[in-house]
Amino acid sequence: TDDSLARLTPGLAVTASERLVDVLVDLHDIEPGAVGLDGFGKPHGYLERQLHRWSAQWDASETQPRPGLRSLWSGLADTLPNQSAAGIVHGDYRLTNVIFEHDISAIAAVVDWEMTTIGDPLADVGLLVVYQDLALSGSFLNPPASATVGFLSSGQLVERYAAASPRDLSAIDWYVAFGYVKLAVIAEGIHRRFIEGKTVGEGFDTVGAWVPHLLDRAMQRLSSHTAATDTKDRDGLPS
């Protein structure tokens, strides 16, 4: 909760951030078949199916046309990275979906597994970056967890993950862009239900305003990924 995070000392905030990454690395290291999850998901083509699924969800939730959205979807499809080795994907891994031991020394449980499947685990890393970047300002229904309080920045979270995992994170900007798109789709759905009178409560009236902001951030990250890919391709050309 917001109050629990606010009570953490800077040292404990660092520890909480580190444990958050460490457990995610451990989760992604699990061989699905070794824990009885053979056939739980369809890892082949996971990223393509995710793009199709969330694009369709946007179509079902759209409240107004969003400039540049079509080019964003096509850009994500055109720059799809080589899929990381299949593993368990939590689907919504973040600070508020784990339960810490009382002294913050370890994570006692990971909760909210509704979106879990077998696919590309780097989707979890990309979305974790999104959540942490948004948490810097406590925005879009995220509790504040800023670096000034002691929490690791999103870049530091990625560095810690990369140091402990054999997975190639060179295309992480693509996964972050996709994470922003997913949150934009969720926000649009919340906004649609709000204007239809189906969702009430504090804060829901402002969610719609976050949609273009989330889409802009997605485009920025996608542009970074595209630029890095273009540079890599040029550097790989024979002289």
Side-chain angles (χ1 to χ4, degrees), residues 84-154:
S84 179
I88 298 172
V89 180
H90 179 276
D92 195 25
Y93 190 82
R94 51 192 163 108
L95 191 63
T96 51
N97 274 343
V98 298
I99 299 174
F100 285 91
E101 298 286 357
H102 183 70
D103 62 359
I104 316 296
S105 62
I107 290 177
V110 179
V111 298
D112 288 352
W113 294 88
E114 290 87 350
M115 299 179 70
T116 302
T117 188
I118 306 301
D120 187 340
L122 293 187
D124 279 341
V125 183
L127 191 56
L128 181 60
V129 168
V130 170
Y131 279 130
Q132 182 58 17
D133 282 345
L134 293 175
L136 291 175
S137 58
S139 55
F140 186 53
L141 308 182
N142 280 277
S146 71
T148 58
V149 179
F151 291 95
L152 298 185
S153 68
S154 61

Side-chain angles (χ1 to χ4, degrees), residues 10-214:
L12 288 178
V14 170
T15 299
S17 301
E18 292 175 343
R19 297 298 172 268
L20 187 68
V21 175
D22 296 345
V23 167
L24 188 61
V25 172
D26 289 343
L27 174 65
H28 292 168
D29 279 348
I30 295 173
E31 171 58 43
V35 291
L37 293 179
D38 278 331
F40 180 67
K42 298 178 180 179
H44 181 70
Y46 169 81
L47 294 178
E48 292 93 335
R49 288 196 309 277
Q50 283 283 294
L51 281 179
H52 177 76
R53 170 192 173 185
W54 287 96
S55 176
Q57 184 63 37
W58 174 271
D59 291 341
S61 304
E62 187 178 64
T63 61
Q64 60 178 294
R66 303 288 180 174
L69 183 59
R70 184 181 299 275
S71 63
L72 180 55
W73 285 121
S74 62
L76 287 167
D78 292 343
T79 61
L80 204 72
N82 293 326
Q83 190 164 302
S84 179
I88 298 172
V89 180
H90 179 276
D92 195 25
Y93 190 82
R94 51 192 163 108
L95 191 63
T96 51
N97 274 343
V98 298
I99 299 174
F100 285 91
E101 298 286 357
H102 183 70
D103 62 359
I104 316 296
S105 62
I107 290 177
V110 179
V111 298
D112 288 352
W113 294 88
E114 290 87 350
M115 299 179 70
T116 302
T117 188
I118 306 301
D120 187 340
L122 293 187
D124 279 341
V125 183
L127 191 56
L128 181 60
V129 168
V130 170
Y131 279 130
Q132 182 58 17
D133 282 345
L134 293 175
L136 291 175
S137 58
S139 55
F140 186 53
L141 308 182
N142 280 277
S146 71
T148 58
V149 179
F151 291 95
L152 298 185
S153 68
S154 61
Q156 290 171 318
L157 294 177
V158 171
E159 289 175 0
R160 186 171 182 87
Y161 185 97
S165 172
R167 297 180 186 275
D168 179 8
L169 272 70
S170 61
I172 190 61
D173 278 331
W174 188 96
Y175 294 91
V176 175
F178 184 46
Y180 274 116
V181 168
K182 287 192 288 187
L183 275 195
V185 174
I186 292 170
E188 186 76 351
I190 293 172
H191 179 55
R192 183 185 183 97
R193 290 191 294 275
F194 173 77
I195 62 179
E196 291 176 347
K198 298 177 181 177
T199 299
V200 295
E202 184 179 354
F204 289 116
D205 58 330
T206 64
V207 171
W210 270 97
V211 175
H213 178 66
L214 294 168

Side-chain angles (χ1 to χ4, degrees), residues 231-239:
T231 299
K232 183 178 179 180
D233 289 343
R234 287 197 302 271
D235 290 345
L237 290 175
S239 58

